[in-house]
Amino acid sequence: MRNGVRKDMENAGAGIAAMRPGGLRRWLPAGAGRAIATLTLLSGATALGAVMVFLTQTLLARIMGPAQYGLFASSLATVTMIAPLAGFGLTQFRLKIYGAEGWHANRWLPASLRFTALTTSLALLSLAGWALLGAPPDDTRFMLLVLSPVVISILMVDLISNKLRLEERYGEMALWQMAIPASRLAVAVALLLVPHLSGRFVALCYCAIAVLVASATVPQVRAMMQGRLDLKGHGPRPARIVHADPPPGVGALWSQAWAFGVYAALYPVFYQISTILLKYLAGDAHAGRYSVALAVMTAIYLIPATIYQKYLLGKLHRWAVHDRPKFWRVYRQGNAGMLGLGLAIGAALAIAAPWVVPLVFGEQYRSVADILQVLALCVPIRFLSTAMGAALLTENHMRFRVYAIAVSTVFTVGMNAALIPRLAESGAAWATVIGEAALLLGTAWGVRRFRRLERARDEAR
């Protein structure tokens, strides 16, 4: 009896040991435990960031009302739409070039610095030009000019996140990417104590946040621009890096980065244009209600963005060059997983919206539930197109993704212009669904062309 008890205890102890990290490693593929831990960390940080953004949007929307909030939100959307011009795809290009060249990619740093300065200047000049010459001479002009430092803060956080992603320091990357949402939420909570809150005051607060966050990133960004990074996936840093060719110039960088830049510039137009056109074609209140719906969708879209942009992107660039079977295996598994997850979340959104929206945002935003029930159709479409588009982020095939976003942006702008005068927010929502479907079809076409070219190349060898 005593021996039987001892045997049972030994078996139980072995089971507990298997549940520990060391024991679990025997049952998981190599590296799977670390991947799961990293994805859990990034997903948790993304969820927390999404909650912060959502709470900020909710507080401001409830306090300011649809008209004031619509004016502020459409101005912020305009700034956000122009922000990707600063850097113009340099972040994605850097992931690609470090994935392919490893430590030798440091040769691109001088050109990157000049390219960043040039494109940032053009972005700020474009924003100022629109504010002074195209925007109405009211609070819109004031907000656009005051919010211009947001362009710098977005660029700087993007650059530091790029460095930390290459170093696989995902925890620090998550903290930096939560800096702006956390600061804005703190301001929104503090503004609850401010009577008769105005859009101008909120814009000034956002300006201060942008300046502080951008200033805090300077040491890390300077280190990256000087080549001081702990690159992962390419072995230890060589004692001396010898470049066979002279350092490339801005022209050479542009020839390789333009597709990433065009996509980065077109995507905010594709995603934000409905809010901006609602402001000019229907009014600030309509733009405010649609902005609330878009805030919900933005939080949902962070799920595939976390998996592909924050975690898998750097690895996909590396696998595309050094491990093609793994690249396509991850692609197929990602498509199936993202479609299933998107269908589940889209259905939940459509069912819950009529009850949740009035409770969270108030009765003045009840009509937002109808918008969200239409936009719920976008969730599985977006999740699948994000997964499929991962195949077009590598090598020289980004141009197919640019074609897809360009065509879908034209569809979205055209449908918004046609439907908003008749249906207001509902028209903008249906235009967005049509645009997302066009993006998915264009992405599928691009992947098909990509695979065909790849097979032809393999057969020619």
Side-chain angles (χ1 to χ4, degrees):
M1 180 70 176
R2 185 175 300 168
N3 292 335
V5 172
R6 184 182 296 112
K7 185 69 173 177
D8 290 342
M9 292 179 66
E10 290 174 355
N11 291 337
I16 293 172
M19 294 176 66
R20 294 172 183 160
L24 281 173
R25 291 192 191 100
R26 294 198 300 268
W27 303 97
L28 294 172
R34 183 181 178 186
I36 292 171
T38 302
L39 274 175
T40 301
L41 170 66
L42 292 176
S43 299
T46 300
L48 181 58
V51 169
M52 291 177 182
V53 172
F54 185 76
L55 289 174
T56 303
Q57 302 270 17
T58 302
L59 290 172
L60 293 179
R62 290 185 71 105
I63 297 170
M64 299 171 71
Q68 272 285 323
Y69 180 69
L71 174 61
F72 170 75
S74 59
S75 300
L76 184 60
T78 303
V79 174
T80 305
M81 191 170 67
I82 292 175
L85 295 177
F88 203 70
L90 187 60
T91 298
Q92 302 292 341
F93 167 74
R94 190 177 285 113
L95 289 175
K96 169 192 170 182
I97 207 67
Y98 274 100
E101 297 186 7
W103 292 101
H104 292 279
N106 282 345
R107 66 194 181 96
W108 292 89
L109 288 172
S112 298
L113 184 59
R114 295 193 298 271
F115 187 78
T116 302
L118 176 63
T119 54
T120 302
S121 300
L122 290 174
L124 292 173
L125 287 173
S126 299
L127 180 59
W130 173 251
L132 297 174
L133 302 176
D138 55 11
D139 279 0
T140 303
R141 175 175 296 175
F142 174 87
M143 289 186 186
L144 290 175
L145 292 173
V146 169
L147 289 171
S148 58
V150 171
V151 174
I152 306 295
S153 66
I154 292 174
L155 170 66
M156 298 295 277
V157 170
D158 198 26
L159 288 173
I160 195 173
S161 298
N162 192 216
K163 175 180 182 290
L164 295 172
R165 188 184 289 114
L166 289 170
E167 296 176 336
E168 296 188 0
R169 293 160 59 188
Y170 297 111
E172 291 183 52
M173 183 184 77
L175 289 175
W176 275 108
Q177 293 190 333
M178 285 193 296
I180 293 177
S183 302
R184 289 177 176 178
L185 177 59
V187 168
V189 172
L191 292 177
L192 290 173
L193 305 176
V194 178
H196 308 297
L197 183 64
S198 69
R200 287 193 170 208
F201 187 74
V202 177
L204 287 169
C205 292
Y206 272 47
C207 174
I209 291 170
V211 171
L212 291 173
V213 170
S215 300
T217 65
V218 169
Q220 287 264 29
V221 172
R222 182 188 295 118
M224 181 185 65
M225 288 301 183
Q226 294 173 350
R228 292 186 282 117
L229 72 161
D230 184 19
L231 183 64
K232 299 297 183 183
H234 296 277
R237 183 187 182 96
R240 185 166 178 261
I241 301 175
V242 179
H243 303 303
D245 301 318
V250 173
L253 191 152
W254 165 260
S255 68
Q256 295 206 36
W258 71 267
F260 298 103
V262 171
Y263 185 88
L266 284 176
Y267 177 76
V269 178
F270 167 75
Y271 190 61
Q272 301 275 10
I273 195 64
S274 298
T275 303
I276 297 170
L277 289 178
L278 273 168
K279 169 186 171 59
Y280 290 101
L281 297 179
D284 290 333
H286 295 281
R289 286 187 286 269
Y290 191 80
S291 295
V292 169
L294 203 62
V296 177
M297 300 304 294
T298 300
I300 292 173
Y301 291 162
L302 284 173
I303 297 172
T306 298
I307 296 172
Y308 282 91
Q309 298 295 324
K310 296 183 181 179
Y311 177 67
L312 281 177
L313 186 56
K315 299 176 185 296
L316 288 170
H317 282 296
R318 188 166 69 245
W319 295 333
V321 176
H322 303 291
D323 194 345
R324 301 295 291 181
K326 186 172 186 178
F327 174 82
W328 287 114
R329 184 169 66 252
V330 171
Y331 169 79
R332 290 190 296 270
Q333 294 170 349
N335 285 349
M338 287 294 102
L339 178 60
L341 184 60
L343 287 169
I345 294 176
L349 175 64
I351 294 171
W355 288 274
V356 174
V357 168
L359 179 66
V360 174
F361 294 100
E363 286 295 326
Q364 58 185 338
Y365 291 101
R366 176 173 286 276
S367 61
V368 172
D370 298 328
I371 304 172
L372 285 173
Q373 288 184 316
V374 176
L375 292 177
L377 297 170
C378 296
V379 178
I381 299 174
R382 169 60 70 89
F383 277 45
L384 181 57
S385 66
T386 301
M388 294 184 70
L392 302 177
L393 291 173
T394 57
E395 295 185 343
N396 297 316
H397 303 288
M398 183 65 185
R399 65 183 186 276
F400 294 128
R401 194 169 173 89
V402 172
Y403 300 154
I405 193 69
V407 172
S408 59
T409 299
V410 171
F411 266 100
T412 303
V413 173
M415 294 306 299
N416 269 294
L419 296 177
I420 285 175
R422 300 178 185 178
L423 302 174
E425 302 99 306
S426 295
W430 282 111
T432 301
V433 173
I434 294 170
E436 291 282 358
L439 179 60
L440 176 60
L441 292 174
T443 304
W445 171 83
V447 174
R448 186 176 179 183
R449 287 289 306 276
F450 177 20
R451 295 299 299 273
R452 187 183 301 133
L453 291 172
E454 186 179 64
R455 283 192 291 267
R457 183 185 62 192
D458 292 340
E459 291 172 0
R461 290 177 177 174

